[in-house]
């Protein structure tokens, strides 16, 4: 494993996987030249045995390598719940391979030789995808934590509000007064840190499906 990174938790990094040391070095030098840090692996097995950096990142995978192939590694990563975006860069690609990789979630499939700018754009787009995914995950966790602070009645009001019910309808459904509904609704909005129905609906949509189904 070759490294060229500072260890900063928020700085993006590209994880390069290729059995050719010269290819790994060339990719690393190119990415480093534009400020993207790298960590390199000579095999898919080496990736699976490593402690991967927890920071915005992407994989750049060769398809054909001794032992596990790049496509095999993609499947292993998915099985292990690793959602880091993948860019395939290979000299042995064909249409069937590219279709398989893209169907499995790869963000790009490049065939060597590839222009430097095309490669840099693909890696940058993959890292941007990972940054957006991480931000969405953090936001969802925050909304889930907010939801846990709600009382059972506030959760009932939340479900009715996002379902489009008016205060009068909610009061009838729950068998309480409209004034009480307004109080629960106000408290619920504050706890969910929502200033509008749109914000509340966005928070609701980010909650686990089991919560939205009412399985809790």
């Amino acid at each position: 494993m070759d490294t060229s990174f500072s260890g900063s938790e928020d700085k993006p990094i590209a994880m390069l996987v290729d059995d050719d040391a010269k290819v790994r070095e060339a990719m690393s030098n190119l990415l480093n030249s534009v400020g993207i840090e790298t960590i390199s692996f000579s095999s898919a097995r080496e990736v699976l045995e490593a402690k991967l950096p927890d920071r915005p990142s992407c994989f750049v995978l060769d398809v054909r390598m001794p032992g596990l192939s790049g496509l095999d590694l993609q499947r292993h990563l998915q099985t292990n719940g690793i959602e880091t975006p993948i860019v395939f860069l290979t000299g042995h690609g064909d249409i069937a391979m590219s279709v398989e990789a893209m169907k499995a979630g790869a963000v790009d499939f490049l065939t060597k030789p590839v222009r430097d700018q095309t490669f840099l754009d693909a890696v940058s787009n993959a890292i941007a995808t990972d940054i957006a995914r991480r931000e969405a995950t953090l936001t969802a966790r925050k909304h889930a934590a907010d939801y846990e602070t709600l009382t059972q009645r506030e959760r009932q009001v939340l479900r009715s509000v996002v379902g489009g019910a008016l205060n009068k309808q909610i009061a009838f459904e729950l068998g309480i007064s409209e004034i009480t509904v307004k109080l629960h609704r106000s408290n619920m909005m504050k706890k969910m840190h929502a200033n509008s129905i749109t914000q509340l609906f966005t928070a609701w949509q980010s909650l686990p499906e089991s919560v939205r189904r009412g399985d809790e």
Side-chain angles (χ1 to χ4, degrees):
M1 180 174 66
D2 308 314
T3 61
S4 178
F5 67 96
S6 63
S8 172
E9 293 184 357
D10 57 353
K11 190 168 185 179
I13 186 169
M15 295 178 281
L16 316 175
V17 189
D18 197 299
D19 60 309
D20 189 325
K22 291 183 178 179
V23 171
R24 295 197 305 273
E25 182 180 7
M27 289 192 295
S28 182
N29 288 340
L30 177 59
L31 291 168
N32 292 165
S33 71
V34 295
I36 299 176
E37 298 183 350
T38 59
I39 180 170
S40 300
F41 303 91
S42 60
S43 68
R45 182 61 58 187
E46 191 175 0
V47 175
L48 296 175
E49 294 174 351
K51 179 176 173 57
L52 301 176
D54 183 16
R55 51 197 284 197
S57 57
C58 75
F59 282 105
V60 178
L61 305 183
D62 189 13
V63 172
R64 293 181 181 173
M65 296 180 286
L68 294 174
S69 70
L71 294 173
D72 290 332
L73 177 56
Q74 182 184 35
R75 286 189 286 269
H76 276 280
L77 293 172
Q78 290 176 332
T79 299
N80 293 333
I82 298 174
E83 301 178 286
T84 305
I86 294 174
V87 173
F88 279 97
L89 177 63
T90 179
H92 307 285
D94 58 29
I95 294 177
M97 282 184 183
S98 63
V99 169
E100 180 180 354
M102 299 300 281
K103 280 186 175 181
V107 297
D108 218 331
F109 193 101
L110 307 176
T111 302
K112 304 171 186 174
V114 62
R115 292 177 57 250
D116 287 355
Q117 192 58 53
T118 299
F119 174 66
L120 292 174
D121 287 345
V123 171
S124 296
N125 289 338
I127 288 175
T129 297
D130 195 47
I131 290 173
R133 178 187 65 82
R134 285 169 169 268
E135 290 177 347
T137 298
L138 289 175
T139 299
R141 287 176 181 169
K142 177 184 176 300
H143 290 153
D146 290 341
Y147 181 81
E148 289 300 317
T149 68
L150 301 180
T151 65
Q152 186 60 35
R153 184 65 85 191
E154 288 165 352
R155 294 180 184 186
Q156 292 173 330
V157 172
L158 166 59
R159 184 177 299 278
S160 296
V161 170
V162 296
L166 301 176
N167 288 342
K168 288 183 179 181
Q169 295 171 311
I170 299 172
F172 178 78
E173 291 171 1
L174 301 181
I176 57 179
S177 70
E178 189 173 348
I179 292 177
T180 303
V181 169
K182 290 179 179 179
L183 177 61
H184 287 311
R185 180 169 180 160
S186 175
N187 289 337
M188 175 270 293
M189 295 286 286
K190 290 176 183 176
K191 290 181 180 180
M192 292 300 295
H193 297 93
N195 296 319
S196 66
I197 297 300
T198 298
Q199 289 182 358
L200 184 66
F201 187 77
T202 298
W204 171 258
Q205 288 296 101
S206 74
L207 294 176
E209 186 177 351
S210 59
V211 171
R212 290 183 280 117
R213 284 200 312 260
D215 297 343
E216 53 180 329

